[in-house]
Coordinates of all heavy atoms in Angstrom, one line a residue:
M193 N -86.5 24.0 -13.0 CA -85.8 25.3 -13.1 C -86.2 25.9 -14.4 O -85.9 25.4 -15.5 CB -84.3 25.2 -13.0 CG -83.6 26.5 -12.7 SD -81.9 26.2 -12.4 CE -81.9 25.2 -10.9
D194 N -86.8 27.1 -14.4 CA -87.3 27.7 -15.6 C -86.4 28.8 -16.1 O -86.3 29.0 -17.3 CB -88.7 28.3 -15.4 CG -89.7 27.2 -15.1 OD1 -89.7 26.2 -15.8 OD2 -90.5 27.4 -14.1
T195 N -85.8 29.5 -15.2 CA -84.9 30.6 -15.6 C -83.5 30.4 -15.0 O -83.4 29.8 -13.9 CB -85.4 32.0 -15.2 OG1 -85.6 32.0 -13.8 CG2 -86.8 32.2 -15.9
C196 N -82.5 30.9 -15.7 CA -81.1 30.8 -15.2 C -81.0 31.7 -13.9 O -81.3 32.8 -14.0 CB -80.2 31.2 -16.3 SG -78.4 31.3 -15.7
P197 N -80.5 31.1 -12.8 CA -80.3 31.9 -11.6 C -79.2 32.9 -11.8 O -79.1 33.8 -11.0 CB -79.9 30.8 -10.6 CG -80.2 29.5 -11.2 CD -80.2 29.7 -12.6
N198 N -78.4 32.7 -12.8 CA -77.2 33.5 -13.0 C -77.6 34.8 -13.9 O -77.3 35.9 -13.5 CB -76.1 32.7 -13.6 CG -74.8 33.5 -13.6 OD1 -74.5 34.2 -12.7 ND2 -74.1 33.5 -14.7
C199 N -78.2 34.5 -15.0 CA -78.4 35.6 -15.9 C -79.9 35.8 -16.2 O -80.3 36.8 -16.8 CB -77.7 35.4 -17.2 SG -78.4 34.1 -18.2
G200 N -80.8 34.9 -15.7 CA -82.2 35.1 -15.8 C -82.8 34.7 -17.2 O -83.9 34.9 -17.4
A201 N -82.0 34.1 -18.0 CA -82.5 33.6 -19.3 C -83.4 32.5 -19.1 O -83.3 31.7 -18.2 CB -81.3 33.3 -20.2
D202 N -84.3 32.3 -20.1 CA -85.3 31.2 -20.1 C -84.5 29.9 -20.4 O -83.6 29.9 -21.3 CB -86.4 31.4 -21.1 CG -87.3 32.5 -20.6 OD1 -87.4 32.7 -19.4 OD2 -87.9 33.2 -21.5
L203 N -84.8 28.9 -19.6 CA -84.1 27.6 -19.8 C -85.1 26.6 -20.3 O -86.2 26.6 -19.9 CB -83.5 27.1 -18.5 CG -82.3 28.0 -18.0 CD1 -81.9 27.4 -16.6 CD2 -81.2 28.0 -18.9
P204 N -84.6 25.7 -21.2 CA -85.4 24.5 -21.5 C -85.7 23.7 -20.3 O -84.9 23.7 -19.3 CB -84.5 23.8 -22.5 CG -83.6 24.8 -23.1 CD -83.4 25.8 -21.9
K205 N -86.7 22.9 -20.3 CA -87.2 22.2 -19.1 C -86.0 21.4 -18.4 O -85.8 21.5 -17.2 CB -88.3 21.2 -19.5 CG -89.6 21.8 -19.4 CD -90.2 21.7 -18.0 CE -91.3 22.7 -17.8 NZ -92.4 22.4 -17.0
K206 N -85.3 20.6 -19.2 CA -84.2 19.8 -18.6 C -82.8 20.3 -19.1 O -82.0 19.5 -19.3 CB -84.4 18.3 -19.1 CG -85.7 17.7 -18.4 CD -85.8 16.3 -18.7 CE -87.1 15.7 -18.0 NZ -87.3 14.3 -18.3
A207 N -82.7 21.6 -19.1 CA -81.4 22.1 -19.5 C -80.4 21.8 -18.5 O -80.6 21.9 -17.3 CB -81.5 23.6 -19.7
M208 N -79.2 21.3 -19.0 CA -78.1 21.0 -18.1 C -77.2 22.2 -18.0 O -76.4 22.3 -17.1 CB -77.3 19.8 -18.6 CG -78.1 18.6 -18.7 SD -78.7 18.0 -17.1 CE -77.2 17.6 -16.3
A209 N -77.3 23.2 -18.9 CA -76.5 24.4 -18.8 C -77.3 25.5 -19.5 O -78.1 25.3 -20.3 CB -75.2 24.2 -19.5
C210 N -77.0 26.7 -19.0 CA -77.7 27.9 -19.6 C -77.1 28.2 -21.0 O -75.9 28.3 -21.2 CB -77.5 29.1 -18.7 SG -78.1 30.6 -19.3
P211 N -78.0 28.3 -22.0 CA -77.5 28.6 -23.3 C -77.0 30.0 -23.4 O -76.3 30.4 -24.4 CB -78.8 28.4 -24.2 CG -79.9 28.5 -23.3 CD -79.4 28.1 -21.9
E212 N -77.4 30.9 -22.5 CA -77.0 32.3 -22.6 C -75.7 32.6 -22.0 O -74.8 33.2 -22.6 CB -78.1 33.2 -21.9 CG -79.4 33.2 -22.6 CD -79.2 33.9 -24.0 OE1 -78.5 34.9 -24.1 OE2 -79.8 33.4 -25.0
C213 N -75.5 32.1 -20.7 CA -74.2 32.5 -20.0 C -73.3 31.3 -19.8 O -72.2 31.4 -19.4 CB -74.6 33.1 -18.7 SG -75.3 32.0 -17.5
G214 N -73.8 30.1 -20.1 CA -73.0 28.9 -20.0 C -72.8 28.3 -18.6 O -72.1 27.3 -18.5
S215 N -73.5 28.8 -17.7 CA -73.4 28.2 -16.3 C -74.3 26.9 -16.3 O -75.2 26.8 -17.1 CB -73.9 29.2 -15.3 OG -75.2 29.6 -15.5
C216 N -73.9 26.0 -15.4 CA -74.6 24.8 -15.3 C -74.7 24.3 -13.9 O -74.1 25.0 -13.0 CB -74.0 23.7 -16.2 SG -72.3 23.3 -15.6
E217 N -75.3 23.2 -13.6 CA -75.5 22.7 -12.3 C -74.1 22.4 -11.7 O -73.9 22.6 -10.5 CB -76.3 21.4 -12.3 CG -77.8 21.7 -12.5 CD -78.6 20.5 -12.5 OE1 -78.0 19.4 -12.7 OE2 -79.9 20.6 -12.5
Q218 N -73.2 21.9 -12.5 CA -71.9 21.5 -11.9 C -71.1 22.7 -11.5 O -70.3 22.6 -10.6 CB -71.1 20.7 -13.0 CG -71.6 19.3 -13.1 CD -71.0 18.6 -14.3 OE1 -70.5 19.2 -15.2 NE2 -71.1 17.3 -14.3
T219 N -71.3 23.8 -12.1 CA -70.6 25.0 -11.7 C -71.4 25.9 -10.7 O -71.0 27.0 -10.4 CB -70.2 25.9 -12.9 OG1 -71.4 26.2 -13.6 CG2 -69.3 25.1 -13.8
G220 N -72.5 25.3 -10.3 CA -73.3 26.1 -9.3 C -74.0 27.2 -9.9 O -74.3 28.2 -9.2
W221 N -74.2 27.2 -11.2 CA -74.9 28.3 -11.8 C -74.2 29.6 -11.6 O -74.9 30.6 -11.2 CB -76.4 28.4 -11.4 CG -77.1 27.1 -11.8 CD1 -77.4 26.1 -11.1 CD2 -77.6 26.8 -13.1 NE1 -78.1 25.1 -11.8 CE2 -78.3 25.6 -13.0 CE3 -77.7 27.5 -14.3 CZ2 -78.9 25.0 -14.2 CZ3 -78.3 26.9 -15.4 CH2 -78.9 25.7 -15.3
S222 N -73.0 29.7 -11.7 CA -72.3 30.9 -11.4 C -71.6 31.5 -12.6 O -71.5 30.8 -13.6 CB -71.2 30.6 -10.3 OG -70.2 29.9 -10.9
E223 N -71.2 32.7 -12.5 CA -70.6 33.4 -13.6 C -69.2 32.8 -13.9 O -68.7 33.0 -15.0 CB -70.4 34.9 -13.2 CG -70.0 35.8 -14.4 CD -71.1 35.9 -15.4 OE1 -72.3 36.2 -15.0 OE2 -70.8 35.8 -16.6
D224 N -68.7 32.1 -12.9 CA -67.4 31.5 -13.2 C -67.4 30.5 -14.4 O -66.4 30.4 -15.0 CB -66.9 30.7 -11.9 CG -66.6 31.6 -10.8 OD1 -66.4 32.8 -11.1 OD2 -66.6 31.2 -9.6
A225 N -68.5 29.9 -14.6 CA -68.6 29.0 -15.7 C -68.2 29.6 -17.0 O -67.5 29.0 -17.8 CB -70.0 28.5 -15.8
K226 N -68.5 30.9 -17.1 CA -68.2 31.5 -18.4 C -66.7 31.7 -18.6 O -66.1 31.3 -19.6 CB -68.9 32.9 -18.4 CG -68.9 33.6 -19.8 CD -69.7 34.8 -19.7 CE -69.9 35.5 -21.1 NZ -70.6 36.7 -21.0
S227 N -66.1 32.3 -17.5 CA -64.6 32.5 -17.7 C -63.9 31.2 -17.7 O -62.9 31.1 -18.5 CB -64.1 33.3 -16.5 OG -64.6 32.8 -15.3
D228 N -64.3 30.2 -17.0 CA -63.7 28.9 -17.1 C -63.8 28.3 -18.5 O -62.8 27.8 -19.0 CB -64.3 27.9 -16.0 CG -63.7 28.2 -14.7 OD1 -62.8 29.0 -14.6 OD2 -64.2 27.6 -13.7
A229 N -65.0 28.4 -19.0 CA -65.2 27.8 -20.3 C -64.3 28.5 -21.4 O -63.8 27.8 -22.3 CB -66.6 27.9 -20.7
L230 N -64.1 29.8 -21.2 CA -63.3 30.5 -22.2 C -61.8 30.4 -21.9 O -61.0 30.7 -22.7 CB -63.8 32.0 -22.2 CG -65.2 32.2 -22.8 CD1 -65.6 33.6 -22.6 CD2 -65.3 31.7 -24.2
G231 N -61.5 30.0 -20.7 CA -60.1 29.9 -20.3 C -59.5 31.3 -20.1 O -58.3 31.4 -20.3
L232 N -60.3 32.3 -19.8 CA -59.7 33.6 -19.7 C -59.6 34.0 -18.2 O -60.5 33.7 -17.4 CB -60.6 34.6 -20.4 CG -60.7 34.5 -21.9 CD1 -61.7 35.5 -22.4 CD2 -59.3 34.8 -22.5
P233 N -58.5 34.6 -17.9 CA -58.4 35.1 -16.5 C -59.3 36.2 -16.2 O -59.5 37.1 -17.1 CB -56.9 35.5 -16.4 CG -56.5 35.9 -17.8 CD -57.4 34.9 -18.7
D234 N -59.9 36.2 -15.0 CA -60.8 37.3 -14.7 C -60.2 38.1 -13.6 O -59.0 38.0 -13.3 CB -62.2 36.8 -14.2 CG -62.0 35.7 -13.1 OD1 -61.0 35.7 -12.5 OD2 -63.0 34.9 -12.9
D235 N -61.0 39.0 -12.9 CA -60.4 39.9 -11.9 C -59.8 39.1 -10.7 O -58.8 39.5 -10.2 CB -61.5 40.8 -11.4 CG -61.9 41.8 -12.5 OD1 -61.1 42.0 -13.4 OD2 -63.0 42.4 -12.4
S236 N -60.4 38.0 -10.4 CA -59.9 37.2 -9.3 C -59.0 36.1 -9.8 O -59.0 35.0 -9.3 CB -61.1 36.6 -8.5 OG -61.8 35.7 -9.4
F237 N -58.2 36.4 -10.7 CA -57.3 35.5 -11.3 C -56.3 35.0 -10.3 O -55.6 35.8 -9.6 CB -56.5 36.1 -12.5 CG -55.5 35.2 -13.1 CD1 -56.0 34.1 -13.8 CD2 -54.2 35.4 -13.1 CE1 -55.1 33.2 -14.5 CE2 -53.3 34.5 -13.7 CZ -53.8 33.4 -14.4
D238 N -56.3 33.7 -10.1 CA -55.5 33.0 -9.1 C -54.3 32.4 -9.7 O -54.4 31.4 -10.4 CB -56.3 32.0 -8.3 CG -55.5 31.5 -7.1 OD1 -54.3 31.7 -7.0 OD2 -56.2 31.0 -6.2
Y239 N -53.1 33.0 -9.6 CA -51.9 32.5 -10.3 C -51.5 31.2 -9.8 O -51.1 30.3 -10.6 CB -50.8 33.5 -10.1 CG -49.6 33.2 -11.0 CD1 -49.7 33.3 -12.4 CD2 -48.4 32.8 -10.4 CE1 -48.7 33.0 -13.2 CE2 -47.3 32.5 -11.3 CZ -47.4 32.6 -12.6 OH -46.4 32.3 -13.5
E240 N -51.6 30.9 -8.5 CA -51.3 29.6 -7.9 C -52.2 28.6 -8.5 O -51.7 27.5 -8.9 CB -51.5 29.7 -6.4 CG -50.5 30.5 -5.7 CD -49.1 29.8 -5.6 OE1 -49.1 28.6 -5.3 OE2 -48.1 30.5 -5.7
D241 N -53.5 28.9 -8.6 CA -54.4 28.0 -9.1 C -54.1 27.7 -10.6 O -54.2 26.6 -11.1 CB -55.8 28.5 -9.0 CG -56.9 27.4 -8.9 OD1 -56.6 26.4 -8.2 OD2 -57.9 27.5 -9.6
Y242 N -53.7 28.7 -11.3 CA -53.4 28.6 -12.7 C -52.2 27.7 -12.8 O -52.2 26.8 -13.7 CB -53.0 30.0 -13.2 CG -52.4 30.0 -14.6 CD1 -53.2 29.8 -15.7 CD2 -51.0 30.1 -14.7 CE1 -52.6 29.7 -17.0 CE2 -50.5 30.1 -16.0 CZ -51.2 29.9 -17.1 OH -50.7 29.9 -18.3
L243 N -51.2 27.8 -12.0 CA -50.0 27.0 -12.1 C -50.4 25.5 -11.8 O -49.9 24.6 -12.5 CB -49.0 27.4 -11.0 CG -48.2 28.7 -11.4 CD1 -47.2 29.0 -10.3 CD2 -47.4 28.5 -12.7
K244 N -51.3 25.3 -10.8 CA -51.7 24.0 -10.5 C -52.4 23.3 -11.7 O -52.2 22.2 -12.0 CB -52.6 24.0 -9.3 CG -51.9 23.9 -8.0 CD -52.9 23.8 -6.9 CE -52.2 24.1 -5.6 NZ -53.1 24.3 -4.5
R245 N -53.2 24.1 -12.3 CA -54.0 23.5 -13.5 C -53.0 23.3 -14.6 O -53.2 22.3 -15.3 CB -55.1 24.5 -13.9 CG -56.3 24.4 -13.1 CD -57.5 24.9 -13.9 NE -57.3 26.3 -14.3 CZ -57.8 27.3 -13.6 NH1 -58.4 27.2 -12.5 NH2 -57.6 28.5 -14.1
E246 N -52.1 24.1 -14.8 CA -51.2 24.0 -16.0 C -50.1 23.0 -15.8 O -49.8 22.3 -16.7 CB -50.6 25.4 -16.4 CG -51.6 26.4 -16.8 CD -52.3 26.0 -18.2 OE1 -51.5 25.6 -19.1 OE2 -53.5 26.0 -18.3
F247 N -49.5 23.0 -14.6 CA -48.3 22.2 -14.4 C -48.5 21.1 -13.3 O -47.6 20.5 -12.9 CB -47.2 23.1 -14.0 CG -46.9 24.2 -15.0 CD1 -47.2 25.5 -14.7 CD2 -46.4 23.9 -16.3 CE1 -47.0 26.5 -15.6 CE2 -46.2 24.9 -17.2 CZ -46.5 26.2 -16.9
G248 N -49.8 20.9 -12.9 CA -50.0 19.9 -11.8 C -49.7 20.5 -10.5 O -49.2 21.6 -10.3
P249 N -50.0 19.6 -9.5 CA -49.7 20.1 -8.1 C -48.3 20.5 -7.9 O -47.4 20.0 -8.5 CB -50.0 18.8 -7.3 CG -50.9 18.0 -8.1 CD -50.5 18.3 -9.5
R250 N -48.1 21.6 -7.1 CA -46.8 22.2 -7.0 C -45.8 21.5 -6.1 O -44.6 21.5 -6.3 CB -47.0 23.6 -6.4 CG -46.4 24.7 -7.3 CD -46.6 26.0 -6.8 NE -45.5 26.9 -7.1 CZ -45.1 28.0 -6.4 NH1 -45.8 28.3 -5.3 NH2 -44.1 28.7 -6.7
E251 N -46.4 20.8 -5.1 CA -45.6 20.1 -4.1 C -44.7 19.0 -4.8 O -45.2 18.3 -5.7 CB -46.4 19.5 -3.0 CG -47.5 18.6 -3.6 CD -48.2 17.8 -2.5 OE1 -47.6 17.5 -1.5 OE2 -49.3 17.4 -2.7
V252 N -43.5 19.0 -4.5 CA -42.6 17.9 -5.0 C -42.7 16.7 -4.1 O -42.5 16.8 -2.9 CB -41.1 18.4 -5.0 CG1 -40.2 17.3 -5.5 CG2 -41.0 19.7 -5.8
R253 N -43.1 15.6 -4.7 CA -43.4 14.5 -3.9 C -42.3 13.4 -4.0 O -42.1 12.9 -5.0 CB -44.7 13.8 -4.3 CG -45.9 14.8 -4.1 CD -47.2 14.1 -4.4 NE -47.2 13.6 -5.8 CZ -48.1 12.8 -6.3 NH1 -49.0 12.2 -5.5 NH2 -48.1 12.5 -7.5
P254 N -41.6 13.2 -2.9 CA -40.5 12.2 -2.9 C -41.0 10.8 -2.7 O -40.2 9.9 -2.4 CB -39.6 12.7 -1.8 CG -40.5 13.3 -0.8 CD -41.7 13.9 -1.6
R255 N -42.3 10.6 -2.8 CA -42.9 9.3 -2.4 C -42.4 8.3 -3.3 O -42.3 7.1 -3.0 CB -44.4 9.4 -2.5 CG -45.0 9.9 -1.2 CD -46.5 10.0 -1.3 NE -47.0 11.1 -0.6 CZ -48.2 11.7 -0.8 NH1 -49.0 11.2 -1.7 NH2 -48.6 12.7 -0.1
G256 N -42.1 8.6 -4.6 CA -41.6 7.6 -5.5 C -40.3 7.0 -5.1 O -40.0 5.9 -5.4
I257 N -39.6 7.7 -4.2 CA -38.3 7.1 -3.8 C -38.4 6.3 -2.5 O -37.7 5.3 -2.3 CB -37.3 8.3 -3.5 CG1 -37.1 9.1 -4.7 CG2 -36.0 7.8 -2.9 CD1 -36.4 10.4 -4.5
R258 N -39.4 6.6 -1.7 CA -39.5 6.0 -0.4 C -39.5 4.4 -0.4 O -38.8 3.8 0.3 CB -40.8 6.5 0.3 CG -40.4 7.0 1.7 CD -41.7 7.4 2.4 NE -41.5 8.8 2.9 CZ -42.5 9.5 3.4 NH1 -43.7 9.0 3.5 NH2 -42.3 10.7 3.8
P259 N -40.4 3.8 -1.2 CA -40.4 2.3 -1.3 C -39.1 1.8 -1.6 O -38.7 0.8 -1.0 CB -41.4 2.0 -2.4 CG -42.3 3.2 -2.5 CD -41.4 4.4 -2.1
L260 N -38.3 2.4 -2.4 CA -37.0 1.9 -2.8 C -36.1 1.9 -1.5 O -35.3 1.0 -1.3 CB -36.4 2.8 -3.9 CG -35.2 2.2 -4.6 CD1 -35.6 1.0 -5.4 CD2 -34.6 3.3 -5.5
W261 N -36.2 3.0 -0.7 CA -35.4 3.1 0.5 C -35.8 2.0 1.4 O -34.9 1.4 2.1 CB -35.7 4.5 1.1 CG -34.7 5.5 0.7 CD1 -34.9 6.5 -0.1 CD2 -33.3 5.5 1.0 NE1 -33.8 7.2 -0.3 CE2 -32.8 6.6 0.3 CE3 -32.5 4.7 1.8 CZ2 -31.4 7.0 0.4 CZ3 -31.1 5.0 1.8 CH2 -30.6 6.2 1.2
W262 N -37.1 1.7 1.6 CA -37.5 0.6 2.4 C -36.9 -0.7 2.0 O -36.4 -1.4 2.8 CB -39.0 0.5 2.5 CG -39.6 1.5 3.5 CD1 -40.3 2.6 3.2 CD2 -39.6 1.3 4.9 NE1 -40.7 3.2 4.4 CE2 -40.3 2.4 5.5 CE3 -39.1 0.3 5.8 CZ2 -40.4 2.6 6.8 CZ3 -39.2 0.5 7.1 CH2 -39.9 1.6 7.7
V263 N -37.0 -1.0 0.7 CA -36.5 -2.2 0.2 C -35.0 -2.3 0.4 O -34.5 -3.4 0.9 CB -36.9 -2.4 -1.3 CG1 -36.2 -3.6 -1.9 CG2 -38.4 -2.5 -1.5
T264 N -34.4 -1.2 0.2 CA -32.9 -1.2 0.3 C -32.5 -1.5 1.8 O -31.7 -2.3 2.1 CB -32.3 0.1 -0.1 OG1 -32.8 0.4 -1.4 CG2 -30.8 0.1 -0.1
S265 N -33.2 -0.8 2.7 CA -33.0 -0.9 4.1 C -33.2 -2.4 4.6 O -32.4 -3.0 5.3 CB -33.9 0.0 4.9 OG -33.7 1.3 4.5
I266 N -34.3 -2.9 4.2 CA -34.6 -4.3 4.6 C -33.6 -5.3 4.0 O -33.1 -6.2 4.7 CB -36.1 -4.7 4.1 CG1 -37.1 -3.9 5.0 CG2 -36.3 -6.2 4.3 CD1 -38.5 -3.9 4.4
L267 N -33.3 -5.1 2.8 CA -32.3 -6.0 2.2 C -30.9 -5.9 2.9 O -30.3 -6.9 3.1 CB -32.1 -5.7 0.7 CG -33.2 -6.2 -0.2 CD1 -33.0 -5.7 -1.7 CD2 -33.3 -7.7 -0.2
L268 N -30.5 -4.7 3.2 CA -29.3 -4.5 3.9 C -29.3 -5.2 5.3 O -28.4 -5.8 5.7 CB -29.0 -3.0 4.1 CG -28.4 -2.3 2.8 CD1 -28.3 -0.9 3.0 CD2 -27.0 -2.9 2.6
L269 N -30.5 -5.0 6.0 CA -30.6 -5.6 7.3 C -30.5 -7.1 7.2 O -29.9 -7.8 8.0 CB -32.0 -5.2 7.9 CG -32.2 -5.5 9.3 CD1 -31.2 -4.8 10.2 CD2 -33.6 -5.2 9.7
L270 N -31.3 -7.7 6.2 CA -31.3 -9.1 6.0 C -29.9 -9.6 5.7 O -29.4 -10.7 6.2 CB -32.2 -9.5 4.9 CG -33.7 -9.5 5.3 CD1 -34.6 -9.8 4.1 CD2 -34.0 -10.5 6.4
A271 N -29.2 -8.9 4.8 CA -27.8 -9.3 4.5 C -26.9 -9.3 5.7 O -26.1 -10.2 5.9 CB -27.3 -8.3 3.4
W272 N -27.1 -8.2 6.5 CA -26.3 -8.1 7.7 C -26.6 -9.3 8.7 O -25.7 -9.9 9.2 CB -26.5 -6.8 8.4 CG -25.7 -6.6 9.6 CD1 -24.4 -6.2 9.7 CD2 -26.1 -6.8 10.9 NE1 -24.0 -6.2 11.0 CE2 -25.0 -6.5 11.8 CE3 -27.3 -7.2 11.5 CZ2 -25.1 -6.7 13.2 CZ3 -27.4 -7.3 12.9 CH2 -26.3 -7.1 13.7
L273 N -27.9 -9.6 8.8 CA -28.3 -10.6 9.7 C -27.7 -12.0 9.2 O -27.2 -12.8 10.0 CB -29.8 -10.7 9.8 CG -30.4 -9.6 10.7 CD1 -32.0 -9.7 10.6 CD2 -30.0 -9.8 12.2
T274 N -27.8 -12.2 7.9 CA -27.3 -13.4 7.4 C -25.8 -13.6 7.6 O -25.3 -14.6 8.1 CB -27.6 -13.4 5.9 OG1 -29.0 -13.2 5.6 CG2 -27.2 -14.8 5.2
W275 N -25.1 -12.5 7.4 CA -23.7 -12.5 7.6 C -23.3 -12.7 9.1 O -22.4 -13.4 9.5 CB -23.1 -11.1 7.1 CG -21.6 -11.0 7.5 CD1 -20.6 -11.5 6.8 CD2 -21.1 -10.2 8.5 NE1 -19.4 -11.1 7.4 CE2 -19.7 -10.3 8.5 CE3 -21.7 -9.5 9.6 CZ2 -18.9 -9.7 9.4 CZ3 -20.9 -8.8 10.5 CH2 -19.5 -9.0 10.4
F276 N -24.2 -12.1 9.9 CA -23.9 -12.2 11.4 C -24.1 -13.6 11.9 O -23.3 -14.0 12.8 CB -24.9 -11.2 12.1 CG -24.5 -11.0 13.6 CD1 -23.5 -10.2 14.0 CD2 -25.3 -11.7 14.5 CE1 -23.2 -10.1 15.3 CE2 -25.0 -11.6 15.9 CZ -24.0 -10.8 16.3
F277 N -25.2 -14.2 11.5 CA -25.5 -15.5 12.1 C -24.9 -16.7 11.3 O -24.8 -17.8 11.9 CB -27.0 -15.7 12.1 CG -27.7 -14.9 13.2 CD1 -28.4 -13.8 12.8 CD2 -27.5 -15.2 14.5 CE1 -29.0 -13.0 13.8 CE2 -28.1 -14.4 15.5 CZ -28.9 -13.3 15.1
W278 N -24.5 -16.6 10.1 CA -24.0 -17.7 9.4 C -22.6 -17.6 8.9 O -22.2 -18.2 8.0 CB -25.0 -18.0 8.2 CG -26.2 -18.7 8.5 CD1 -26.4 -20.0 8.8 CD2 -27.5 -18.1 8.7 NE1 -27.6 -20.3 9.1 CE2 -28.4 -19.1 9.1 CE3 -28.0 -16.8 8.6 CZ2 -29.7 -18.9 9.4 CZ3 -29.3 -16.5 8.9 CH2 -30.2 -17.6 9.3
R279 N -21.9 -16.7 9.4 CA -20.5 -16.5 9.0 C -19.7 -17.7 9.6 O -19.9 -18.2 10.6 CB -19.9 -15.2 9.4 CG -19.9 -15.0 10.9 CD -19.3 -13.6 11.2 NE -19.6 -13.3 12.6 CZ -18.8 -12.4 13.3 NH1 -17.9 -11.7 12.7 NH2 -19.1 -12.1 14.5
Ligands
ZN566 ZN1 -77.6 32.0 -17.7

């Protein structure tokens, strides 16, 4: 690749990113690279996406509780069975 597909600047032979506009192979040589690198919102500013990046995934995950519920249920069942058969 000799020139940047995004801005047309001359690139060094094995350039991993364009020195002019900052786009690179990982960003698909797009203009987004620039705004992402600068951390500035552009016209297509996605607030949901912003929240995800800043505060992590939005969904509240109760998965941390579930294993505890399983253990509790099984222990209760075992306790009940023990009481039922060996009383
Ligand atoms: Zn460029």
Side-chain angles (χ1 to χ4, degrees):
M193 197 175 294
D194 294 315
T195 58
C196 173
N198 189 42
C199 70
D202 290 332
L203 294 177
K205 272 274 162 141
K206 292 187 178 178
M208 298 301 291
C210 173
E212 289 297 319
C213 68
S215 57
C216 65
E217 283 177 349
Q218 284 172 340
T219 58
W221 296 100
S222 70
E223 190 71 47
D224 290 342
K226 195 175 184 181
S227 50
D228 279 355
L230 294 175
L232 291 175
D234 53 20
D235 290 341
S236 60
F237 181 66
D238 190 339
Y239 190 67
E240 291 284 321
D241 208 44
Y242 169 79
L243 283 178
K244 272 184 191 168
R245 278 205 303 267
E246 292 296 312
F247 305 109
R250 234 179 148 204
E251 53 171 333
V252 180
R253 295 186 300 166
R255 274 180 217 160
I257 298 170
R258 231 184 235 173
L260 196 64
W261 269 109
W262 273 107
V263 171
T264 307
S265 304
I266 290 169
L267 282 178
L268 278 173
L269 189 66
L270 283 175
W272 181 81
L273 283 174
T274 305
W275 172 81
F276 187 82
F277 286 109
W278 280 282
R279 62 179 165 161

